[in-house]
Amino acid sequence: CASCEEDRTPVKLVIFDLDETLTLTTFMSEEGTYDEDHRDFTAMVNFESPWVEGSRIEKLKSMLQEIRGGEHGPRRGMAVLTRNNHREGVQAVVNLLNVAGLDECFDAIWTLPWRKGLPNGAYLEAGEWIFFDPPVDKVSDHKAYVIKDIAARPKEWFPQLAGHKSSADSEFSGELTKLSPASIVLVDDQQANFQSDRGVKVARYAKVSRYNAHYHDLGFIKDMGGIGAHDDNDFS
């Protein structure tokens, strides 16, 4: 990963892309669900790397938990913001992360572009994913605009913060309601996601490297990615 742009503002929220950032390359079933016979294969082909020793999934979990913090330091918000056109919308993203046990590392998942008739977001409350509609349709269709809006009105993107359940205060640092664009980091493999055509920029980001490779028995795949796909130093 490329280093974040330098800033002394404390990081309060880290947002990850899904495709070629959390995954190496993304393969979803047509239904967006996975039975017991296919969960291990789906986790392997999306998240495990043939180029490093050990389980990339376990390393990814450890990194996400460390970034999340909370046990001996400030609790950061964790989210996924991904461009996804699967017919099941955000539910398909939750299900894919779940096969690797990664969904529990995040507080919210949002999808672009906005799609009528489907929830475009999900948030985790007391171990349960609840689907909702964040204001994706109220902002321009670019991650820089979304991050700017999250900083301006975080309760619209994290319904937990509105205190719908008693666990909200204990699960989140109060600082998450006082975000600024500089307190949010975007981790993504697409350079174009860090600045819009109109010059609106993501203040802080980490760029995940991309590459072409022969992958398992799936042939030659272009524009693969994935944190730690080739180097365990990505996790440190």
Side-chain angles (χ1 to χ4, degrees), residues 123 125 130 132 155 158-169:
Y123 68 96
E125 181 70 79
I130 302 171
F132 77 110
K155 290 183 181 180
F158 292 97
Q160 308 97 310
L161 297 178
H164 290 173
K165 294 189 179 180
S166 61
S167 63
D169 291 340

Side-chain angles (χ1 to χ4, degrees), residues 61-123:
K61 284 182 185 177
S62 295
M63 182 198 74
L64 294 171
Q65 290 164 358
E66 183 175 354
I67 293 172
R68 181 186 180 100
E71 185 174 353
H72 301 294
R75 163 78 157 83
R76 296 187 182 95
M78 301 285 284
V80 174
L81 174 61
T82 182
R83 190 168 293 280
N84 186 280
N85 288 309
H86 194 281
R87 71 183 191 186
E88 297 300 325
V90 72
Q91 175 74 73
V93 178
V94 172
N95 291 344
L96 183 64
L97 291 169
N98 179 261
V99 300
L102 294 172
D103 61 312
E104 62 190 21
C105 298
F106 298 99
D107 303 302
I109 299 172
W110 313 300
T111 55
L112 298 173
W114 181 77
R115 296 166 70 186
K116 186 177 181 179
L118 283 175
N120 293 277
Y123 68 96

Side-chain angles (χ1 to χ4, degrees), residues 30-229:
E30 185 176 349
E31 300 80 11
T33 58
Y34 308 93
D35 58 33
E36 289 301 322
D37 292 336
H38 296 93
R39 287 177 65 86
D40 288 347
F41 174 78
T42 302
M44 182 273 293
V45 77
N46 281 278
F47 297 102
E48 293 290 16
S49 173
W51 299 294
V52 294
E53 294 184 2
S55 170
R56 176 178 175 268
I57 290 174
E58 293 306 314
K59 296 170 190 174
L60 199 54
K61 284 182 185 177
S62 295
M63 182 198 74
L64 294 171
Q65 290 164 358
E66 183 175 354
I67 293 172
R68 181 186 180 100
E71 185 174 353
H72 301 294
R75 163 78 157 83
R76 296 187 182 95
M78 301 285 284
V80 174
L81 174 61
T82 182
R83 190 168 293 280
N84 186 280
N85 288 309
H86 194 281
R87 71 183 191 186
E88 297 300 325
V90 72
Q91 175 74 73
V93 178
V94 172
N95 291 344
L96 183 64
L97 291 169
N98 179 261
V99 300
L102 294 172
D103 61 312
E104 62 190 21
C105 298
F106 298 99
D107 303 302
I109 299 172
W110 313 300
T111 55
L112 298 173
W114 181 77
R115 296 166 70 186
K116 186 177 181 179
L118 283 175
N120 293 277
Y123 68 96
L124 189 64
E125 181 70 79
E128 178 183 357
W129 282 103
I130 302 171
F131 297 92
F132 77 110
D133 275 312
V136 175
D137 58 330
K138 303 295 194 299
V139 297
S140 297
D141 187 22
H142 190 280
K143 292 187 179 183
Y145 289 102
V146 172
I147 288 173
K148 185 177 179 180
D149 198 75
I150 292 168
R153 44 179 182 170
K155 290 183 181 180
E156 298 293 319
W157 297 86
F158 292 97
Q160 308 97 310
L161 297 178
H164 290 173
K165 294 189 179 180
S166 61
S167 63
D169 291 340
S170 61
E171 288 294 322
F172 280 89
S173 165
E175 293 300 307
L176 198 59
T177 62
K178 302 179 236 178
L179 294 172
S180 68
S183 68
I184 302 173
V185 175
L186 175 63
V187 184
D188 204 303
D189 66 297
Q190 295 273 3
Q191 187 70 36
N193 286 332
F194 303 132
Q195 180 173 328
S196 74
D197 291 341
R198 297 182 179 179
V200 177
K201 296 181 179 181
V202 174
R204 301 172 78 176
Y205 62 84
K207 170 72 169 65
V208 177
S209 298
R210 302 178 74 183
Y211 53 92
N212 304 327
H214 291 277
Y215 188 54
H216 297 296
D217 59 353
L218 300 171
F220 186 74
I221 299 178
K222 293 184 177 181
D223 295 327
M224 294 184 66
I227 300 165

